[in-house]
Short mmCIF file of all heavy atoms in Angstrom, two decimals:
data_model
loop_
_atom_site.label_atom_id
_atom_site.label_comp_id
_atom_site.label_asym_id
_atom_site.label_seq_id
_atom_site.Cartn_x
_atom_site.Cartn_y
_atom_site.Cartn_z
N LEU A 34 -81.18 0.07 135.30
CA LEU A 34 -82.11 1.09 134.82
C LEU A 34 -81.49 1.84 133.67
O LEU A 34 -80.28 2.10 133.66
CB LEU A 34 -82.46 2.06 135.95
CG LEU A 34 -83.22 1.43 137.11
CD1 LEU A 34 -83.13 2.30 138.35
CD2 LEU A 34 -84.68 1.20 136.73
N PHE A 35 -82.32 2.19 132.71
CA PHE A 35 -81.84 2.83 131.49
C PHE A 35 -82.75 4.00 131.13
O PHE A 35 -83.92 4.03 131.46
CB PHE A 35 -81.88 1.84 130.31
CG PHE A 35 -81.07 0.58 130.50
CD1 PHE A 35 -81.58 -0.48 131.23
CD2 PHE A 35 -79.81 0.47 129.95
CE1 PHE A 35 -80.84 -1.64 131.41
CE2 PHE A 35 -79.07 -0.69 130.12
CZ PHE A 35 -79.58 -1.74 130.86
N TRP A 36 -82.15 4.93 130.38
CA TRP A 36 -82.92 5.94 129.69
C TRP A 36 -82.60 5.83 128.20
O TRP A 36 -81.42 5.73 127.82
CB TRP A 36 -82.61 7.35 130.19
CG TRP A 36 -83.35 7.70 131.44
CD1 TRP A 36 -82.91 7.61 132.73
CD2 TRP A 36 -84.69 8.20 131.52
NE1 TRP A 36 -83.88 8.01 133.60
CE2 TRP A 36 -84.98 8.38 132.89
CE3 TRP A 36 -85.67 8.51 130.57
CZ2 TRP A 36 -86.22 8.87 133.33
CZ3 TRP A 36 -86.89 9.00 131.01
CH2 TRP A 36 -87.16 9.17 132.38
N TYR A 37 -83.68 5.86 127.40
CA TYR A 37 -83.55 5.86 125.95
C TYR A 37 -84.27 7.08 125.40
O TYR A 37 -85.25 7.55 125.95
CB TYR A 37 -84.20 4.60 125.34
CG TYR A 37 -83.38 3.34 125.46
CD1 TYR A 37 -83.45 2.56 126.62
CD2 TYR A 37 -82.54 2.92 124.43
CE1 TYR A 37 -82.70 1.39 126.73
CE2 TYR A 37 -81.79 1.76 124.54
CZ TYR A 37 -81.88 1.00 125.69
OH TYR A 37 -81.14 -0.16 125.80
N LYS A 38 -83.76 7.56 124.27
CA LYS A 38 -84.36 8.71 123.59
C LYS A 38 -84.92 8.25 122.25
O LYS A 38 -84.26 7.50 121.52
CB LYS A 38 -83.29 9.79 123.36
CG LYS A 38 -83.71 10.97 122.53
CD LYS A 38 -82.53 11.93 122.33
CE LYS A 38 -82.90 13.13 121.47
NZ LYS A 38 -81.75 14.05 121.27
N GLN A 39 -86.14 8.67 121.92
CA GLN A 39 -86.73 8.37 120.63
C GLN A 39 -87.04 9.68 119.92
O GLN A 39 -88.07 10.30 120.15
CB GLN A 39 -87.99 7.52 120.77
CG GLN A 39 -88.54 7.03 119.44
CD GLN A 39 -89.71 6.07 119.59
OE1 GLN A 39 -90.60 6.28 120.41
NE2 GLN A 39 -89.72 5.02 118.79
N PRO A 40 -86.14 10.13 119.05
CA PRO A 40 -86.40 11.38 118.32
C PRO A 40 -87.52 11.19 117.30
O PRO A 40 -87.95 10.05 117.06
CB PRO A 40 -85.06 11.68 117.65
CG PRO A 40 -84.36 10.35 117.57
CD PRO A 40 -84.86 9.53 118.72
N PRO A 41 -87.96 12.26 116.65
CA PRO A 41 -89.05 12.15 115.66
C PRO A 41 -88.77 11.14 114.55
O PRO A 41 -89.70 10.59 113.97
CB PRO A 41 -89.17 13.58 115.13
CG PRO A 41 -88.69 14.44 116.25
CD PRO A 41 -87.59 13.66 116.92
N SER A 42 -87.52 10.88 114.26
CA SER A 42 -87.18 9.91 113.21
C SER A 42 -87.50 8.48 113.63
O SER A 42 -87.53 7.58 112.79
CB SER A 42 -85.70 10.04 112.84
OG SER A 42 -84.90 10.05 114.01
N GLY A 43 -87.72 8.23 114.91
CA GLY A 43 -88.27 6.95 115.36
C GLY A 43 -87.31 5.96 115.99
O GLY A 43 -87.77 5.01 116.63
N GLU A 44 -86.03 6.14 115.81
CA GLU A 44 -85.12 5.13 116.39
C GLU A 44 -85.03 5.30 117.89
O GLU A 44 -85.37 6.33 118.45
CB GLU A 44 -83.73 5.23 115.74
CG GLU A 44 -82.93 6.46 116.11
CD GLU A 44 -83.18 7.65 115.20
OE1 GLU A 44 -84.27 7.74 114.61
OE2 GLU A 44 -82.29 8.52 115.12
N LEU A 45 -84.55 4.27 118.56
CA LEU A 45 -84.35 4.30 120.02
C LEU A 45 -82.86 4.42 120.30
O LEU A 45 -82.08 3.55 119.90
CB LEU A 45 -84.90 3.03 120.66
CG LEU A 45 -86.42 2.95 120.82
CD1 LEU A 45 -86.85 1.53 121.09
CD2 LEU A 45 -86.89 3.87 121.93
N VAL A 46 -82.49 5.47 121.00
CA VAL A 46 -81.08 5.75 121.24
C VAL A 46 -80.78 5.55 122.72
O VAL A 46 -81.40 6.19 123.58
CB VAL A 46 -80.72 7.19 120.81
CG1 VAL A 46 -79.25 7.46 121.08
CG2 VAL A 46 -81.07 7.41 119.35
N PHE A 47 -79.84 4.67 123.02
CA PHE A 47 -79.42 4.44 124.40
C PHE A 47 -78.72 5.68 124.93
O PHE A 47 -77.84 6.24 124.27
CB PHE A 47 -78.49 3.22 124.45
CG PHE A 47 -77.68 3.11 125.71
CD1 PHE A 47 -78.29 2.73 126.90
CD2 PHE A 47 -76.32 3.39 125.71
CE1 PHE A 47 -77.55 2.62 128.07
CE2 PHE A 47 -75.58 3.28 126.87
CZ PHE A 47 -76.19 2.90 128.05
N LEU A 48 -79.11 6.11 126.14
CA LEU A 48 -78.48 7.28 126.75
C LEU A 48 -77.62 6.89 127.95
O LEU A 48 -76.43 7.18 127.98
CB LEU A 48 -79.55 8.29 127.19
CG LEU A 48 -80.37 8.93 126.07
CD1 LEU A 48 -81.42 9.86 126.67
CD2 LEU A 48 -79.50 9.67 125.08
N ILE A 49 -78.24 6.29 128.97
CA ILE A 49 -77.50 5.98 130.19
C ILE A 49 -78.00 4.68 130.80
O ILE A 49 -79.12 4.25 130.57
CB ILE A 49 -77.64 7.09 131.25
CG1 ILE A 49 -79.11 7.34 131.57
CG2 ILE A 49 -76.94 8.36 130.82
CD1 ILE A 49 -79.32 8.23 132.76
N ARG A 50 -77.15 4.08 131.63
CA ARG A 50 -77.47 2.88 132.40
C ARG A 50 -77.01 3.09 133.82
O ARG A 50 -75.99 3.73 134.08
CB ARG A 50 -76.76 1.66 131.82
CG ARG A 50 -77.09 0.37 132.56
CD ARG A 50 -76.15 -0.73 132.19
NE ARG A 50 -74.79 -0.42 132.64
CZ ARG A 50 -73.72 -1.11 132.30
NH1 ARG A 50 -73.85 -2.15 131.51
NH2 ARG A 50 -72.54 -0.78 132.74
N ARG A 51 -77.80 2.53 134.76
CA ARG A 51 -77.44 2.60 136.17
C ARG A 51 -77.67 1.22 136.79
O ARG A 51 -78.66 0.57 136.52
CB ARG A 51 -78.32 3.64 136.88
CG ARG A 51 -77.68 4.19 138.10
CD ARG A 51 -76.55 5.12 137.70
NE ARG A 51 -75.59 5.24 138.78
CZ ARG A 51 -74.30 5.44 138.59
NH1 ARG A 51 -73.82 5.57 137.38
NH2 ARG A 51 -73.48 5.56 139.60
N ASN A 52 -76.74 0.80 137.66
CA ASN A 52 -76.90 -0.46 138.38
C ASN A 52 -77.61 -0.22 139.70
O ASN A 52 -77.39 0.81 140.35
CB ASN A 52 -75.53 -1.07 138.67
CG ASN A 52 -74.65 -1.12 137.45
OD1 ASN A 52 -75.14 -1.36 136.37
ND2 ASN A 52 -73.37 -0.89 137.64
N SER A 53 -78.38 -1.19 140.15
CA SER A 53 -79.14 -1.01 141.39
C SER A 53 -78.25 -0.90 142.61
O SER A 53 -78.66 -0.38 143.65
CB SER A 53 -80.10 -2.18 141.58
OG SER A 53 -79.39 -3.41 141.63
N PHE A 54 -77.04 -1.39 142.53
CA PHE A 54 -76.15 -1.38 143.69
C PHE A 54 -75.24 -0.15 143.71
O PHE A 54 -74.35 -0.03 144.54
CB PHE A 54 -75.30 -2.66 143.74
CG PHE A 54 -74.75 -3.09 142.41
CD1 PHE A 54 -73.55 -2.60 141.93
CD2 PHE A 54 -75.46 -3.98 141.61
CE1 PHE A 54 -73.06 -3.00 140.71
CE2 PHE A 54 -74.98 -4.39 140.39
CZ PHE A 54 -73.78 -3.90 139.92
N ASP A 55 -75.47 0.78 142.80
CA ASP A 55 -74.65 1.98 142.74
C ASP A 55 -75.56 3.19 142.67
O ASP A 55 -76.10 3.50 141.61
CB ASP A 55 -73.74 1.93 141.52
CG ASP A 55 -72.81 3.14 141.46
OD1 ASP A 55 -72.87 3.99 142.36
OD2 ASP A 55 -72.02 3.21 140.50
N GLU A 56 -75.75 3.84 143.81
CA GLU A 56 -76.67 4.96 143.84
C GLU A 56 -75.98 6.30 143.62
O GLU A 56 -76.58 7.35 143.77
CB GLU A 56 -77.42 5.00 145.19
CG GLU A 56 -78.45 3.90 145.31
CD GLU A 56 -79.38 4.12 146.49
OE1 GLU A 56 -80.18 5.07 146.47
OE2 GLU A 56 -79.29 3.33 147.45
N GLN A 57 -74.73 6.27 143.26
CA GLN A 57 -74.04 7.53 143.00
C GLN A 57 -74.63 8.20 141.77
O GLN A 57 -74.79 7.58 140.73
CB GLN A 57 -72.55 7.26 142.77
CG GLN A 57 -71.74 8.50 142.57
CD GLN A 57 -70.26 8.20 142.41
OE1 GLN A 57 -69.85 7.06 142.53
NE2 GLN A 57 -69.46 9.20 142.14
N ASN A 58 -74.99 9.43 141.94
CA ASN A 58 -75.54 10.16 140.81
C ASN A 58 -74.42 10.77 139.99
O ASN A 58 -73.36 11.11 140.51
CB ASN A 58 -76.50 11.23 141.32
CG ASN A 58 -77.69 10.62 142.02
OD1 ASN A 58 -78.32 9.71 141.51
ND2 ASN A 58 -77.99 11.09 143.22
N GLU A 59 -74.67 10.90 138.71
CA GLU A 59 -73.61 11.35 137.83
C GLU A 59 -74.10 12.40 136.86
O GLU A 59 -75.30 12.58 136.66
CB GLU A 59 -73.05 10.15 137.04
CG GLU A 59 -72.22 9.21 137.88
CD GLU A 59 -71.56 8.14 137.03
OE1 GLU A 59 -71.43 8.32 135.81
OE2 GLU A 59 -71.16 7.12 137.62
N ILE A 60 -73.14 13.04 136.27
CA ILE A 60 -73.41 14.01 135.22
C ILE A 60 -72.58 13.60 134.01
O ILE A 60 -71.41 13.24 134.13
CB ILE A 60 -73.02 15.43 135.65
CG1 ILE A 60 -73.86 15.86 136.87
CG2 ILE A 60 -73.19 16.41 134.50
CD1 ILE A 60 -73.43 17.20 137.46
N SER A 61 -73.24 13.62 132.85
CA SER A 61 -72.52 13.35 131.60
C SER A 61 -72.93 14.42 130.61
O SER A 61 -74.02 14.37 130.03
CB SER A 61 -72.89 11.95 131.08
OG SER A 61 -72.29 11.72 129.83
N GLY A 62 -72.07 15.39 130.44
CA GLY A 62 -72.42 16.50 129.55
C GLY A 62 -73.62 17.25 130.08
O GLY A 62 -73.64 17.69 131.23
N ARG A 63 -74.65 17.35 129.26
CA ARG A 63 -75.87 18.06 129.70
C ARG A 63 -76.86 17.13 130.39
O ARG A 63 -77.93 17.55 130.80
CB ARG A 63 -76.53 18.74 128.51
CG ARG A 63 -75.70 19.86 127.90
CD ARG A 63 -76.46 20.64 126.85
NE ARG A 63 -76.86 19.81 125.72
CZ ARG A 63 -78.11 19.44 125.47
NH1 ARG A 63 -79.10 19.84 126.26
NH2 ARG A 63 -78.38 18.70 124.40
N TYR A 64 -76.52 15.85 130.48
CA TYR A 64 -77.41 14.87 131.10
C TYR A 64 -76.95 14.60 132.54
O TYR A 64 -75.76 14.50 132.80
CB TYR A 64 -77.39 13.55 130.35
CG TYR A 64 -77.88 13.58 128.92
CD1 TYR A 64 -77.42 12.65 127.99
CD2 TYR A 64 -78.80 14.52 128.49
CE1 TYR A 64 -77.87 12.65 126.68
CE2 TYR A 64 -79.25 14.54 127.19
CZ TYR A 64 -78.78 13.61 126.29
OH TYR A 64 -79.23 13.62 125.00
#
Side-chain angles (χ1 to χ4, degrees):
Chain A
L34 295 161
F35 301 82
W36 278 96
Y37 283 85
K38 173 183 179 180
Q39 187 174 43
S42 49
E44 70 271 27
L45 283 164
V46 180
F47 164 73
L48 295 178
I49 57 170
R50 181 193 66 189
R51 204 73 203 149
N52 310 324
S53 59
F54 43 87
D55 183 0
E56 287 192 68
Q57 183 177 355
N58 297 311
E59 288 187 19
I60 298 174
S61 175
R63 294 188 299 109
Y64 298 153

